[in-house]
Amino acid sequence: MNVLLTEAELRVAELAADATGIEAIAEALGLRPAEAAGILETVYRKLGAATSAVPKSREGHLHGS
């Protein structure tokens, strides 16, 4: 299965693979948390992940909300 990820998707996926939370991913890449979460959701969809276990922030909120 060949899946093409954009540059942004790849950067977000690499950080998420290291168990980095959405807020930290967003800060590292200069994005809003909602943007980082949306990109990560796209990565999960493209990879066909059964669940989208989006990393939580320290406060325990999903998607940086």
Side-chain angles (χ1 to χ4, degrees):
M1 170 182 183
N2 288 333
V3 177
L4 296 177
L5 298 178
T6 67
E7 190 83 22
E9 291 166 348
L10 184 57
R11 289 190 319 250
V12 169
E14 288 172 338
L15 289 170
D18 290 333
T20 303
I22 287 296
E23 288 181 359
I25 292 170
E27 185 175 328
L29 300 177
L31 302 170
R32 291 178 301 134
E35 291 174 296
I39 292 169
L40 189 55
E41 289 291 338
T42 299
V43 169
Y44 287 130
R45 189 184 79 252
K46 284 184 173 183
L47 296 177
T51 62
S52 57
V54 176
K56 294 182 180 183
S57 70
R58 286 176 303 218
E59 292 79 31
H61 299 287
L62 290 177
H63 306 291
S65 54

